[in-house]
Amino acid sequence: MAGREARRGLTGELVAEFAGTMVLILFGAGVVAQVVAAQLGDHDSIAWAWGIGVMLGVYVAGRTTGAHLNPAVTVGFALFRGFPWPKVLPYVVAQTAGAFVAALIVRWNYSEVLAMADPGRTLKTQIVFSTLPGNGTLPVDMWGGLRDQIIGTAILLFVIFALSDTANMAPSANLGPFVIGLLVVGIGMSFGTDAGYAINPARDFGPRLASFLTGYGGAWRDQYGDLYFWVPIVGPLIGGVLGAGLYQACIARFLPQGEDRDTVKPSD
């Protein structure tokens, strides 16, 4: 009986992570499709819609799992906040699947507009689904993209750990998702140039796979022809560990002891 209840509990958590990440990508990839293919909006539209997508995704999954929605967050919480390691891989699979399905929906919904803007299915609209160094146009190479992803995700996890630490000044009255959404808006406006601020392996790989399966043959490479898909996976995982570790070393250990510190969830 206990085993069955545990399986039911894990199933619910995986569905929540799937749904929350799907909502995130529906807003995020959807706004990029509008801006890139339909010329509606600009960089600020993209930054705000991604932040809104994160906020709403966290509200969707927050009660069930705390809404990781990002393998870098899941690994960070496993390393430093007691999240169970056996759940890490299932969470990552659910997050990636949610991003994949959301990207397929965006690809289908915007099929006519994407075909009009880019009938050859090139990098011009590939960026709707996955990131490129220098957003495909600026003089940033693969290694510059990796640097950027490490820094951007370190910022993300450092601040998420602060926002989720009840021994610090965690937002109250269910405002955590709202503030985390603002965090993503800020990262997009400050660190969006060098690599499109993927800062989330699931957010990049799931839509990249979806685009490849729907006609974007160059999805795995950047504008220089380099195999690039691994950068938004490895960079965020490294950066997430660095950011979470820095928070624990520089802030958490100096906070008052004995507080009811959040040990699993990035927001609640």
Side-chain angles (χ1 to χ4, degrees):
M1 183 67 70
R4 182 181 302 172
E5 289 299 318
R7 287 193 296 274
R8 285 187 60 193
L10 179 59
T11 299
E13 292 173 35
L14 298 182
V15 171
E17 286 292 309
F18 174 94
T21 310
M22 184 172 69
V23 167
L24 187 168
I25 300 300
L26 286 172
F27 281 87
V31 71
V32 181
Q34 282 200 146
V35 173
V36 171
Q39 301 295 304
L40 296 175
D42 54 21
H43 174 267
D44 287 352
S45 307
I46 292 172
W48 280 107
W50 274 108
I52 291 168
V54 169
M55 177 188 70
L56 296 177
V58 174
Y59 274 122
V60 165
R63 186 66 176 174
T64 305
T65 66
H68 296 188
L69 315 185
N70 183 340
V73 172
T74 301
V75 170
F77 272 74
L79 279 170
F80 299 106
R81 291 281 180 85
F83 182 77
W85 278 103
K87 291 185 177 183
V88 169
L89 183 58
Y91 267 50
V92 170
V93 171
Q95 293 155 2
T96 305
F100 174 79
V101 170
L104 287 179
I105 293 171
V106 171
R107 177 73 175 87
W108 178 41
N109 188 59
Y110 282 98
S111 56
E112 299 90 351
V113 177
L114 290 168
M116 176 193 70
D118 183 22
R121 297 170 185 170
T122 69
L123 292 177
K124 178 182 177 181
T125 55
Q126 168 60 37
I127 202 167
V128 168
F129 304 100
S130 55
T131 57
L132 292 166
N135 291 315
T137 60
L138 298 171
V140 180
D141 64 10
M142 179 172 63
W143 302 110
L146 180 64
R147 174 197 64 217
D148 175 87
Q149 286 302 285
I150 292 172
I151 293 171
T153 316
I155 295 169
L156 178 73
L157 266 290
F158 188 90
V159 180
I160 283 179
F161 265 50
L163 294 173
S164 63
D165 191 345
T166 55
N168 200 332
M169 296 181 65
S172 58
N174 294 323
L175 283 175
F178 176 75
V179 180
I180 290 173
L182 289 180
L183 167 62
V184 173
V185 172
I187 292 173
M189 289 184 170
S190 305
F191 288 88
T193 296
D194 281 0
Y197 70 107
I199 57 175
N200 180 339
R203 168 264 176 273
D204 195 87
F205 183 78
R208 194 180 293 271
L209 177 61
S211 66
F212 176 75
L213 294 176
T214 58
Y216 286 85
W220 307 112
R221 297 184 181 273
D222 62 20
Q223 64 268 34
Y224 307 109
D226 295 324
L227 204 61
Y228 186 78
F229 78 92
W230 62 273
V231 171
I233 298 173
V234 174
L237 291 174
I238 295 172
V241 171
L242 287 175
L246 282 170
Y247 178 82
Q248 294 300 110
C250 298
I251 304 296
R253 69 190 185 99
F254 297 110
L255 294 173
Q257 300 299 307
E259 299 283 349
D260 181 21
R261 183 167 291 164
D262 187 346
T263 59
V264 174
K265 300 180 179 181
S267 62
D268 194 20

